[in-house]
Amino acid sequence: MRYRTLGASGLLVSVVGLGCNNFGTRLDLDRTRGVVDAAIDAGITLLDTADVYGDRGGSETFLGQVLEGRRDKVVLATKWGADMGYGPAAGARGGRAYVRRAVAESLRRLRTDHIDLYQLHTPDPTTPIAETIAAASELVAEGKIRYVGHSNFSGWQLAEAAHTAREIGGVPFVSAQNHWSLLERGAEQEVVPAARHYGLGVLPYFPLANGMLTGKVRRATGVPDGSRLAARPQWVTEQRLDKVERLAEWAEKHDRTLLEIGIGALAAQPGCSSVIAGATSPTQVTANAAAGEWTPTDEELAEIDGILAAG
Ligand SMILES: NC(=O)c1ccc[n+]([C@@H]2O[C@H](COP(=O)([O-])OP(=O)(O)OC[C@H]3O[C@@H](n4cnc5c(N)ncnc54)[C@H](OP(=O)(O)O)[C@@H]3O)[C@@H](O)[C@H]2O)c1
């Protein structure tokens, strides 16, 4: 496993991380433990969850249980700010009162005294970003969180937050988590360049396009029963299948797997810190970690860009 700092921060993360949004919904406690064991064995350190995952709290609760006694083996990233059903008395989700309540509940579920990376799940249109930064800065000073990140921010929101942190002397956001994969490259227009400019590391979500970049979905074979994509047929579009088929052809010619292309070529994009791929089995995590070992040359990356842009 390779390790990198998260943007310009001192937080070191594995180049392949583990997305934890299957825990507490599709995976029970035993299967969650199996996936986390395999991740740690493969050298994965970055575990990405959210308070809302697992039907509000289930993913954090399972992680707290399976990490008991080995909390220091992982870099724990979670999020606040999606609908936890706290109601209006909790306040706006970027506001000081809400942030303090959310972190207390996440720490309790995760059975830890600190969160390594605490991310605002989605922008809060009502709270001034200065208030959110001030609240996060208090949590850093108290040792409850180590770093703060955001998710689903646009380029201008990222820039505004970076300038505001400087103006008020607050802790800067160190990461941006946005939708990004070889099949969905919209983040490269504004968010990724802005993140690089302001020193944030990007954590791409849906990096495997929900499984389309794993090799399990081909035009000839269709979607496997029981897979996530079987429940999300709208994802399997003709346009995405075209790209998958072109990538698979390139992979075969270069003696690579589609999974290596999906993970290795994304990890190699400037600005990408860690590919936080989700998984439903130990075998998948092990394969994902191994795929991150492939480091394409500039020429190979240019060829991949070319075939994705074609058509
Ligand atoms: N910030 C946000 O708003 C946001 C939104 C979405 C996700 N996220 C985060 O990003 C993480 C990654 O996204 P994601 O997990 O939703 O999607 P993803 O990584 O694109 O796809 C993960 C799915 O692909 C399949 N898969 C993974 N590895 C495989 C392998 N080696 N072989 C075959 N199939 C494989 C598994 O589903 P099956 O086995 O069922 O096929 C797995 O659940 C999440 O876990 C979450 O932490 C954040």
Side-chain angles (χ1 to χ4, degrees):
M1 180 57 65
R2 296 176 289 140
Y3 300 89
R4 291 175 177 159
T5 55
L6 187 56
S9 80
L11 187 63
L12 199 66
V13 293
S14 48
V15 164
V16 180
L18 175 64
C20 300
N21 65 1
N22 291 313
F23 302 164
T25 45
R26 297 181 66 216
L27 299 196
D28 63 14
L29 182 62
D30 277 351
R31 291 180 69 200
T32 298
R33 190 184 301 280
V35 167
V36 172
D37 287 352
I40 292 174
D41 283 351
I44 288 176
T45 54
L46 180 62
L47 269 49
D48 180 76
T49 187
D51 56 4
V52 77
Y53 293 168
D55 286 337
R56 293 179 176 163
S59 176
E60 288 187 336
T61 300
F62 280 5
L63 279 172
Q65 291 177 54
V66 306
L67 292 173
E68 195 81 64
R70 52 178 177 169
R71 164 69 181 87
D72 60 352
K73 298 270 183 237
V74 298
V75 174
L76 207 40
T78 191
K79 313 183 195 79
W80 90 95
D83 186 9
M84 286 295 283
Y86 295 156
R93 296 185 200 160
R96 184 172 184 274
Y98 190 102
V99 178
R100 295 196 69 84
R101 171 171 178 180
V103 81
E105 300 205 11
S106 284
L107 289 169
R108 177 181 53 74
R109 282 188 293 265
L110 288 164
R111 301 189 184 182
T112 183
D113 62 357
H114 72 278
I115 290 161
D116 295 296
L117 178 66
Y118 199 41
Q119 304 157 100
L120 177 55
H121 208 146
T122 192
D124 172 4
T126 52
T127 307
I129 196 69
E131 180 176 335
T132 307
I133 292 169
S137 303
E138 285 176 15
L139 298 179
V140 171
E142 293 165 21
K144 291 180 174 155
I145 67 171
R146 298 246 159 104
Y147 293 90
V148 63
H150 52 58
S151 175
N152 295 305
F153 273 36
S154 63
W156 74 261
Q157 288 168 326
L158 186 157
E160 185 199 30
H163 281 284
T164 304
R166 287 177 192 170
E167 267 166 37
I168 68 170
V171 295
F173 289 96
V174 300
S175 62
Q177 190 173 132
N178 287 74
H179 189 179
W180 190 17
S181 73
L182 292 192
L183 298 188
E184 297 297 330
R185 304 190 68 165
E188 291 171 39
Q189 296 298 312
E190 291 282 343
V191 174
V192 176
R196 292 179 68 198
H197 181 77
Y198 288 103
L200 283 77
V202 182
L203 300 174
Y205 74 72
F206 293 151
L208 301 175
N210 282 299
M212 287 206 68
L213 287 167
T214 63
K216 76 201 298 177
V217 181
R218 298 291 301 273
R219 186 166 262 126
T221 52
V223 178
D225 287 343
S227 64
R228 177 190 284 191
L229 285 166
R232 299 184 186 183
Q234 73 281 6
W235 264 81
V236 190
T237 62
E238 282 305 306
Q239 197 197 22
R240 289 191 181 123
L241 276 172
D242 280 344
K243 290 184 179 179
V244 165
E245 290 301 324
R246 290 204 297 271
L247 282 177
E249 197 181 316
W250 189 91
E252 205 171 311
K253 260 193 224 147
H254 291 78
D255 205 19
R256 294 288 160 200
T257 62
L258 193 53
L259 189 66
E260 282 177 309
I261 314 297
I263 293 183
L266 185 59
Q269 298 297 321
C272 176
S273 291
S274 176
V275 177
I276 49 165
T280 55
S281 70
T283 315
Q284 288 184 358
V285 188
T286 307
N288 295 348
E293 293 303 300
W294 181 58
T295 49
T297 62
D298 289 347
E299 292 72 31
E300 287 172 324
L301 273 186
E303 283 182 35
I304 290 168
D305 283 351
I307 61 170
L308 285 169

